[in-house]
Amino acid sequence: MINNLFNFIDSSPSPFHASENAATSLSIAGFDEVSSSASWNSNQKSFLKTGGSIVAVSAADKIDPKHLIFNIVGAHTDSPNLRIKPIPDRNSVGYQQLGVEIYGGALLNSWLDRDLGLSGQVCTKEGQVIKKHLFRSDQPLLRVPQLAIHLDRNVNEGLTLDRQSHLTPIWGLGDSDNHGFRNFLANLIEVEETDILSWDAMAHDLTPSTLLGKNQEFYSASRIDNLASCHAAVEALCLLDSLPENTVAVAALFDHEEVGSNSNTGAAGPLLENCLERIVLSLGGSRDDFFAALARSWCLSADGAHAVHPNYAERHDSSHKIELNAGPVIKINANVRYATQAEGSAHFQMICDAINVPTQLYSHRSDLACGSTIGPITATRLGIRVVDVGSAQLSMHSAREMGGSKDPGLLTRSLTAFYQY
Ligand code: CO
């Protein structure tokens, strides 16, 4: 049901909301939360959430740690956006504005002339304790107005945006003191302004996800890269009715992919590795069993793939023109910007063939720099075999992206089959 994806995207404007909403879906499906600071108990269905990341685990009824296999799907919860600075309030010629920093490789122009809400997390003090609050306002609050063409006659020859000065949203008139944003947060989460210590706050486009096209063959939404993969990974895990003996299915959703994954909750950190080892140990296995399990295991790194753009078809390799609604894409790069090797490509093709889900093969133009994803990072970190896959989409890293309306269902089916393989 694509409406489930729309609900997930629209209610997950920040990575913290994405991990929280994934946790809610997992809890409803019978998964128990494990605390990272408590010992791992060997529940068949469990998840560990930390910040904007979450690792969810569904284990077979019967597991011998000497023969354990992990089938892992990795994805990322973060998307490029505008992040509110620590001292954000500023005034300019009678407007109140909020200072922002660009997070990740955003298409800057896509943030112009959009009605933006705010979300993230706030830390407050309660006595001697720090309390974290998720917050989200879907009120139209901010806007980065584009300069009128009459004041920039050459703009259509090439728009240039300065990251420091041209993307500062306006959100009021008159002079604010230095407490405008703090005061807004205090009212929103109903605390005293002086109790607010810090925040991770960001802007989001308020347009709801929607089907699109003459026959609704497309969908349009924010954060398709990579909430579509996160949703498919969790949905497939929740829908699993059984797993083959010795199989442990894992969905690992990481924050910070768009900025290189180097953080305590990013794919380059120890989060997944620690969870996998703790699972083996909790089942009575040894560290040696853990390493042997990794050698038998697979990871599918699921992230957006570039569909061929009709107005720029020459930007794509002529033999690897990826179509929308034509099934999951296997991403291959000789320079290992994608982790897929021949064996991994074969593995995923076999899985999809068995359930009649078509697959496509992507290779970037040889004269263009290729993007990357958590696949090579996970392979490097765990020494595990990784296949980079994903659904085709257009407008990657725009504030508003689009995809094919059949692809989310095809991705969920392929991930379900992968978990069970
Ligand atoms: Co991505």
Side-chain angles (χ1 to χ4, degrees):
M1 280 294 290
I2 201 157
N3 283 333
N4 293 338
L5 171 61
F6 290 176
N7 288 336
F8 179 67
I9 289 176
D10 293 347
S11 60
S12 303
S14 81
F16 311 111
H17 289 82
S19 66
E20 179 73 15
N21 290 326
T24 302
S25 298
L26 290 159
S27 297
I28 291 168
F31 287 68
D32 294 322
E33 182 159 9
V34 176
S35 163
S36 45
S37 58
S39 65
W40 193 288
N41 44 27
S42 58
N43 286 347
Q44 248 183 307
K45 293 182 170 189
S46 47
F47 67 88
L48 185 150
K49 180 167 79 75
T50 173
S53 299
I54 185 166
V55 177
V57 180
S58 179
D61 294 335
K62 280 182 68 181
I63 293 185
D64 174 354
K66 299 253 176 263
H67 297 101
L68 188 154
I69 295 171
F70 291 111
N71 285 335
I72 304 161
V73 175
H76 66 89
T77 56
D78 61 321
S79 303
N81 60 15
L82 309 181
R83 299 277 169 121
I84 309 302
K85 293 212 173 197
I87 304 176
D89 293 288
R90 52 191 67 176
N91 301 303
S92 176
V93 293
Y95 293 95
Q96 295 180 25
Q97 295 181 281
L98 290 181
V100 294
E101 187 174 358
I102 313 301
Y103 176 85
L107 281 171
L108 300 180
N109 62 303
S110 69
W111 287 88
L112 302 176
D113 294 338
R114 285 181 187 273
D115 303 334
L116 306 173
L118 285 166
S119 74
Q121 65 176 4
V122 188
C123 288
T124 60
K125 58 169 181 263
E126 283 202 349
Q128 292 305 307
V129 181
I130 294 169
K131 193 173 172 209
K132 280 192 270 185
H133 310 252
L134 273 190
F135 79 95
R136 167 177 150 213
S137 175
D138 287 336
Q139 296 297 310
L141 291 163
L142 310 177
R143 188 173 172 107
V144 186
Q146 189 162 199
L147 187 62
I149 193 163
H150 317 81
L151 304 175
D152 187 4
R153 286 290 183 188
N154 297 323
V155 62
N156 289 328
E157 272 56 70
L159 174 67
T160 305
L161 293 169
D162 180 89
R163 288 161 176 263
Q164 172 65 17
S165 52
H166 293 160
L167 287 152
T168 311
I170 60 172
W171 79 322
L173 286 171
D175 275 345
S176 74
D177 51 23
N178 286 332
H179 296 268
F181 186 65
R182 192 174 285 269
N183 183 260
F184 161 80
L185 284 180
N187 288 331
L188 190 69
I189 63 169
E190 296 177 336
V191 299
E192 293 298 323
E193 201 183 305
T194 48
D195 288 338
I196 292 181
L197 297 170
S198 55
W199 53 77
D200 297 306
M202 57 205 80
H204 60 279
D205 180 38
L206 290 169
T207 318
S209 305
T210 182
L211 288 166
L212 177 85
K214 186 159 65 73
N215 295 308
Q216 304 197 320
E217 44 284 80
F218 311 118
Y219 74 105
S220 157
S222 298
R223 304 176 294 281
I224 291 174
D225 172 15
N226 188 14
L227 293 186
S229 304
C230 290
H231 183 258
V234 170
E235 186 175 55
L237 200 69
C238 290
L239 291 175
L240 286 178
D241 42 20
S242 66
L243 281 166
E245 205 172 313
N246 296 322
T247 306
V248 178
V250 179
L253 314 183
F254 297 103
D255 198 355
H256 300 138
E257 189 272 346
E258 298 293 358
V259 292
S261 296
N262 289 310
S263 77
N264 64 326
T265 53
L271 175 63
L272 176 59
E273 183 181 351
N274 289 355
C275 288
L276 300 182
E277 180 167 359
R278 294 175 81 177
I279 290 164
V280 173
L281 297 176
S282 76
L283 291 164
S286 64
R287 191 135 210 261
D288 190 53
D289 295 331
F290 164 62
F291 290 123
L294 289 185
R296 287 186 289 267
S297 298
W298 281 100
C299 175
L300 277 191
S301 157
D303 202 351
H306 298 294
V308 62
H309 194 303
N311 301 348
Y312 301 88
E314 74 286 355
R315 297 291 172 107
H316 302 260
D317 183 289
S318 59
S319 302
H320 296 92
K321 290 190 169 148
I322 299 302
E323 296 168 31
L324 297 173
N325 292 336
V329 179
I330 302 170
K331 299 186 270 182
I332 299 156
N333 181 265
N335 294 293
V336 202
R337 302 288 290 160
Y338 303 129
T340 313
Q341 314 271 317
E343 189 191 6
S345 177
H347 184 68
F348 189 66
Q349 287 182 59
M350 293 264 287
I351 289 167
C352 290
D353 283 352
I355 55 166
N356 291 317
V357 167
T359 55
Q360 310 182 72
L361 296 173
Y362 182 71
S363 174
H364 211 59
R365 273 191 69 101
S366 303
D367 53 2
L368 281 178
C370 184
S372 192
T373 177
I374 60 165
I377 293 166
T378 307
T380 305
R381 176 86 218 187
L382 295 177
I384 194 175
R385 295 171 295 182
V386 177
V387 198
D388 267 303
V389 301
S391 290
Q393 64 165 107
L394 294 168
S395 311
M396 191 182 285
H397 289 196
S398 170
R400 185 80 180 175
E401 304 177 326
M402 69 178 282
S405 53
K406 293 204 175 89
D407 282 322
L410 293 171
L411 184 63
T412 299
R413 280 179 59 202
S414 72
L415 299 188
T416 305
F418 166 78
Y419 282 139
Q420 292 175 315
Y421 197 75

